Amino acid sequence: MFTGIIEEIGAVTAVEPSGDGVRLSVRAPLAISDASHGDSISVNGVCLTVVASDESSFTADVMRQTLDMSTLAGFAPGRPVNIERATAVGTRLGGHVVQGHVDGTGVILEVRPGERWRVVRVGVPAALAPLVVDKGSIAIDGVSLTISAVSAPDAAEQWLEVSLIPETLEATTLADRNPGDAVNLETDILARHVQRMLAFTATPPATPPSEGGSR
């Protein structure tokens, strides 16, 4: 589990084919300082497992499903990435509960600069739109953010907006994102559970046949 509070900006150092996936190497000195084989590290919001490491970098295997669901498929050496280690028990939860299980990708539609911050509008896939709510939480490229505005339910194009404060712009890669860029999205886990429960409520389970037949 993660909190969406980015600890450092790392850099992709290698992307090598591995079956139908890839083996990704990332330079992240802080994250690897206390990491061991099998530990989880979030890379742009995607939970990856350390399979090898040295004093400044780690390597993880990325399977095909992850490549299909996230922006990792487009990664190349030199790409800066947001890095967060798994949350330690007993620490403060500075962001929100983030699993590192990306729901899909969105596309930045607009960036509106302010005096000290930026408002970013992100296009949201229709399937994810019911899971985003004004003042709710969203993880964009692994960064825990508060949604400041959402599109109307009947809008032709679904979107959400977030406001990036100076600290977020300095500590993450979101400062470098521009209209047209794809970003990883992870919606709030509570919203996903509610949506699943409502799906069962809308379609009651079939009544099992009675035993023994008629008398």
Side-chain angles (χ1 to χ4, degrees), residues 66-79:
T66 303
L67 294 175
D68 291 341
M69 291 289 293
S70 71
T71 62
L72 268 62
F75 280 12
R79 164 93 180 227

Side-chain angles (χ1 to χ4, degrees), residues 70-111:
S70 71
T71 62
L72 268 62
F75 280 12
R79 164 93 180 227
V81 288
N82 295 319
I83 299 292
E84 181 188 356
R85 291 171 290 186
T87 302
V89 175
T91 60
R92 291 183 175 86
L93 185 63
H96 72 284
V97 176
V98 178
Q99 293 182 297
H101 303 161
V102 171
D103 294 309
T105 61
V107 175
I108 294 180
L109 303 176
E110 181 184 0
V111 177

Side-chain angles (χ1 to χ4, degrees), residues 10 20 24 26 32 42 53 59 66 69 78 83 110 126 130 149-150 158 166 170 177 193 200 207 215:
D20 64 349
L24 183 72
V26 179
I32 206 62
S42 171
S53 62
T59 298
T66 303
M69 291 289 293
I83 299 292
E110 181 184 0
V150 293
Q158 293 295 316
E170 181 177 347
R177 300 279 72 83
H193 278 295
F200 279 97
T207 303
R215 292 181 181 273

Side-chain angles (χ1 to χ4, degrees), residues 52-67:
S53 62
D54 57 28
E55 66 279 358
S56 63
S57 303
F58 70 92
T59 298
D61 291 318
V62 185
M63 62 182 179
R64 170 49 54 186
Q65 182 184 21
T66 303
L67 294 175

Side-chain angles (χ1 to χ4, degrees), residues 4-9 42 81-84 141-144 171-172:
I5 304 300
I6 303 305
E7 296 185 288
E8 68 178 320
I9 296 179
S42 171
V81 288
N82 295 319
I83 299 292
E84 181 188 356
D141 275 354
V143 182
S144 174
T172 76

Side-chain angles (χ1 to χ4, degrees), residues 36-202:
S36 303
H37 183 91
D39 283 355
S40 296
I41 296 178
S42 171
V43 178
N44 267 24
V46 180
C47 178
L48 299 179
T49 301
V50 176
V51 298
S53 62
D54 57 28
E55 66 279 358
S56 63
S57 303
F58 70 92
T59 298
D61 291 318
V62 185
M63 62 182 179
R64 170 49 54 186
Q65 182 184 21
T66 303
L67 294 175
D68 291 341
M69 291 289 293
S70 71
T71 62
L72 268 62
F75 280 12
R79 164 93 180 227
V81 288
N82 295 319
I83 299 292
E84 181 188 356
R85 291 171 290 186
T87 302
V89 175
T91 60
R92 291 183 175 86
L93 185 63
H96 72 284
V97 176
V98 178
Q99 293 182 297
H101 303 161
V102 171
D103 294 309
T105 61
V107 175
I108 294 180
L109 303 176
E110 181 184 0
V111 177
R112 302 197 303 274
E115 185 176 349
R116 287 177 50 79
W117 59 85
R118 295 178 194 172
V119 175
V120 178
R121 178 173 290 192
V122 181
V124 179
L128 300 184
L131 301 176
V132 298
V133 59
D134 188 23
K135 303 305 184 289
S137 297
I138 188 80
I140 298 180
D141 275 354
V143 182
S144 174
L145 298 166
T146 298
I147 298 168
S148 56
V150 293
S151 54
D154 59 353
E157 183 177 60
Q158 293 295 316
W159 50 263
L160 63 85
E161 287 186 351
V162 291
S163 298
L164 307 182
I165 62 175
E167 173 64 20
T168 303
L169 293 171
E170 181 177 347
T172 76
T173 63
L174 294 182
D176 299 324
R177 300 279 72 83
N178 297 299
D181 288 347
V183 291
N184 293 322
L185 300 176
E186 181 183 337
T187 57
D188 183 43
I189 184 174
L190 294 178
R192 298 201 301 272
H193 278 295
V194 170
Q195 184 186 58
R196 178 65 172 169
M197 288 188 291
L198 289 175
F200 279 97
T201 302

